[in-house]
mmCIF file of all heavy atoms in Angstrom:
data_model
loop_
_atom_site.group_PDB
_atom_site.id
_atom_site.type_symbol
_atom_site.label_atom_id
_atom_site.label_comp_id
_atom_site.label_asym_id
_atom_site.label_seq_id
_atom_site.Cartn_x
_atom_site.Cartn_y
_atom_site.Cartn_z
ATOM 1 N N GLN A 358 -61.244 2.731 -70.335
ATOM 2 C CA GLN A 358 -60.326 2.791 -71.474
ATOM 3 C C GLN A 358 -60.617 3.961 -72.414
ATOM 4 O O GLN A 358 -59.875 4.195 -73.367
ATOM 5 C CB GLN A 358 -60.346 1.469 -72.248
ATOM 6 C CG GLN A 358 -61.598 1.167 -73.018
ATOM 7 C CD GLN A 358 -61.687 -0.288 -73.491
ATOM 8 O OE1 GLN A 358 -62.737 -0.726 -73.893
ATOM 9 N NE2 GLN A 358 -60.604 -1.054 -73.420
ATOM 10 N N PRO A 364 -56.302 1.834 -76.042
ATOM 11 C CA PRO A 364 -57.365 1.247 -75.212
ATOM 12 C C PRO A 364 -57.470 -0.268 -75.375
ATOM 13 O O PRO A 364 -58.002 -0.952 -74.502
ATOM 14 C CB PRO A 364 -58.634 1.937 -75.729
ATOM 15 C CG PRO A 364 -58.311 2.330 -77.136
ATOM 16 C CD PRO A 364 -56.840 2.669 -77.122
ATOM 17 N N GLU A 365 -56.936 -0.789 -76.482
ATOM 18 C CA GLU A 365 -57.108 -2.211 -76.796
ATOM 19 C C GLU A 365 -56.376 -3.128 -75.822
ATOM 20 O O GLU A 365 -56.666 -4.313 -75.740
ATOM 21 C CB GLU A 365 -56.638 -2.497 -78.236
ATOM 22 C CG GLU A 365 -55.128 -2.466 -78.469
ATOM 23 C CD GLU A 365 -54.537 -1.057 -78.555
ATOM 24 O OE1 GLU A 365 -55.319 -0.071 -78.524
ATOM 25 O OE2 GLU A 365 -53.292 -0.933 -78.629
ATOM 26 N N ARG A 366 -55.455 -2.599 -75.041
ATOM 27 C CA ARG A 366 -54.678 -3.478 -74.140
ATOM 28 C C ARG A 366 -55.090 -3.311 -72.677
ATOM 29 O O ARG A 366 -54.400 -3.764 -71.772
ATOM 30 C CB ARG A 366 -53.186 -3.212 -74.315
ATOM 31 C CG ARG A 366 -52.837 -1.715 -74.457
ATOM 32 C CD ARG A 366 -52.205 -1.116 -73.344
ATOM 33 N NE ARG A 366 -51.789 0.265 -73.553
ATOM 34 C CZ ARG A 366 -50.537 0.644 -73.598
ATOM 35 N NH1 ARG A 366 -49.574 -0.204 -73.543
ATOM 36 N NH2 ARG A 366 -50.264 1.935 -73.678
ATOM 37 N N LEU A 367 -56.229 -2.625 -72.468
ATOM 38 C CA LEU A 367 -56.743 -2.455 -71.091
ATOM 39 C C LEU A 367 -57.861 -3.466 -70.843
ATOM 40 O O LEU A 367 -58.786 -3.597 -71.651
ATOM 41 C CB LEU A 367 -57.281 -1.020 -70.946
ATOM 42 C CG LEU A 367 -57.894 -0.487 -69.635
ATOM 43 C CD1 LEU A 367 -59.300 -1.008 -69.389
ATOM 44 C CD2 LEU A 367 -57.005 -0.738 -68.426
ATOM 45 N N LEU A 368 -57.767 -4.167 -69.730
ATOM 46 C CA LEU A 368 -58.876 -5.032 -69.309
ATOM 47 C C LEU A 368 -58.992 -4.977 -67.788
ATOM 48 O O LEU A 368 -58.064 -4.539 -67.108
ATOM 49 C CB LEU A 368 -58.684 -6.473 -69.788
ATOM 50 C CG LEU A 368 -57.744 -7.414 -69.034
ATOM 51 C CD1 LEU A 368 -57.957 -8.841 -69.518
ATOM 52 C CD2 LEU A 368 -56.274 -7.020 -69.212
ATOM 53 N N GLY A 386 -63.139 -7.646 -70.645
ATOM 54 C CA GLY A 386 -62.723 -6.724 -71.690
ATOM 55 C C GLY A 386 -63.789 -5.669 -71.924
ATOM 56 O O GLY A 386 -64.971 -5.915 -71.694
ATOM 57 N N GLY A 387 -63.371 -4.475 -72.370
ATOM 58 C CA GLY A 387 -64.328 -3.434 -72.733
ATOM 59 C C GLY A 387 -64.549 -3.426 -74.238
ATOM 60 O O GLY A 387 -64.046 -4.300 -74.954
ATOM 61 N N GLU A 388 -65.304 -2.414 -74.707
ATOM 62 C CA GLU A 388 -65.620 -2.316 -76.140
ATOM 63 C C GLU A 388 -64.364 -2.343 -77.012
ATOM 64 O O GLU A 388 -64.368 -2.887 -78.113
ATOM 65 C CB GLU A 388 -66.383 -1.018 -76.430
ATOM 66 C CG GLU A 388 -67.834 -1.068 -75.967
ATOM 67 C CD GLU A 388 -68.416 0.322 -75.732
ATOM 68 O OE1 GLU A 388 -67.948 1.281 -76.371
ATOM 69 O OE2 GLU A 388 -69.323 0.437 -74.884
ATOM 70 N N SER A 389 -63.282 -1.729 -76.519
ATOM 71 C CA SER A 389 -62.084 -1.611 -77.350
ATOM 72 C C SER A 389 -61.026 -2.670 -77.073
ATOM 73 O O SER A 389 -59.992 -2.707 -77.732
ATOM 74 C CB SER A 389 -61.439 -0.236 -77.144
ATOM 75 O OG SER A 389 -62.393 0.788 -77.193
ATOM 76 N N THR A 390 -61.261 -3.514 -76.084
ATOM 77 C CA THR A 390 -60.226 -4.493 -75.728
ATOM 78 C C THR A 390 -60.099 -5.558 -76.824
ATOM 79 O O THR A 390 -61.101 -6.096 -77.284
ATOM 80 C CB THR A 390 -60.559 -5.189 -74.392
ATOM 81 O OG1 THR A 390 -60.871 -4.175 -73.430
ATOM 82 C CG2 THR A 390 -59.394 -6.027 -73.897
ATOM 83 N N GLU A 391 -58.860 -5.856 -77.204
ATOM 84 C CA GLU A 391 -58.649 -6.896 -78.213
ATOM 85 C C GLU A 391 -58.705 -8.283 -77.592
ATOM 86 O O GLU A 391 -58.190 -8.510 -76.497
ATOM 87 C CB GLU A 391 -57.274 -6.706 -78.871
ATOM 88 C CG GLU A 391 -57.330 -5.780 -80.066
ATOM 89 C CD GLU A 391 -55.954 -5.576 -80.677
ATOM 90 O OE1 GLU A 391 -55.026 -6.333 -80.329
ATOM 91 O OE2 GLU A 391 -55.827 -4.632 -81.478
ATOM 92 N N GLN A 392 -59.288 -9.215 -78.339
ATOM 93 C CA GLN A 392 -59.398 -10.588 -77.849
ATOM 94 C C GLN A 392 -58.015 -11.187 -77.566
ATOM 95 O O GLN A 392 -57.841 -11.948 -76.612
ATOM 96 C CB GLN A 392 -60.160 -11.437 -78.873
ATOM 97 C CG GLN A 392 -60.468 -12.868 -78.420
ATOM 98 C CD GLN A 392 -61.307 -12.920 -77.135
ATOM 99 O OE1 GLN A 392 -62.257 -12.170 -76.970
ATOM 100 N NE2 GLN A 392 -60.913 -13.794 -76.201
ATOM 101 N N THR A 393 -57.029 -10.826 -78.374
ATOM 102 C CA THR A 393 -55.691 -11.399 -78.154
ATOM 103 C C THR A 393 -55.127 -10.973 -76.789
ATOM 104 O O THR A 393 -54.386 -11.721 -76.165
ATOM 105 C CB THR A 393 -54.691 -10.952 -79.250
ATOM 106 O OG1 THR A 393 -54.730 -9.529 -79.329
ATOM 107 C CG2 THR A 393 -55.047 -11.568 -80.584
ATOM 108 N N ILE A 394 -55.487 -9.782 -76.358
ATOM 109 C CA ILE A 394 -55.031 -9.319 -75.038
ATOM 110 C C ILE A 394 -55.690 -10.149 -73.937
ATOM 111 O O ILE A 394 -55.049 -10.559 -72.965
ATOM 112 C CB ILE A 394 -55.357 -7.810 -74.857
ATOM 113 C CG1 ILE A 394 -54.504 -6.945 -75.775
ATOM 114 C CG2 ILE A 394 -55.194 -7.388 -73.397
ATOM 115 C CD1 ILE A 394 -53.028 -6.879 -75.406
ATOM 116 N N ILE A 395 -56.976 -10.437 -74.117
ATOM 117 C CA ILE A 395 -57.668 -11.267 -73.121
ATOM 118 C C ILE A 395 -57.041 -12.662 -73.091
ATOM 119 O O ILE A 395 -56.766 -13.205 -72.014
ATOM 120 C CB ILE A 395 -59.185 -11.331 -73.421
ATOM 121 C CG1 ILE A 395 -59.785 -9.922 -73.237
ATOM 122 C CG2 ILE A 395 -59.889 -12.334 -72.507
ATOM 123 C CD1 ILE A 395 -61.255 -9.811 -73.600
ATOM 124 N N ASN A 396 -56.786 -13.228 -74.262
ATOM 125 C CA ASN A 396 -56.148 -14.551 -74.309
ATOM 126 C C ASN A 396 -54.782 -14.550 -73.615
ATOM 127 O O ASN A 396 -54.436 -15.470 -72.872
ATOM 128 C CB ASN A 396 -55.966 -15.015 -75.754
ATOM 129 C CG ASN A 396 -57.298 -15.179 -76.471
ATOM 130 O OD1 ASN A 396 -58.352 -15.198 -75.832
ATOM 131 N ND2 ASN A 396 -57.252 -15.266 -77.793
#
Side-chain angles (χ1 to χ4, degrees):
Chain A
Q358 70 194 166
E365 72 283 355
R366 41 107 175 247
L367 180 284
L368 79 168
E388 285 157 27
S389 314
T390 310
E391 272 178 13
Q392 186 59 43
T393 53
I394 291 290
I395 294 176
N396 298 346

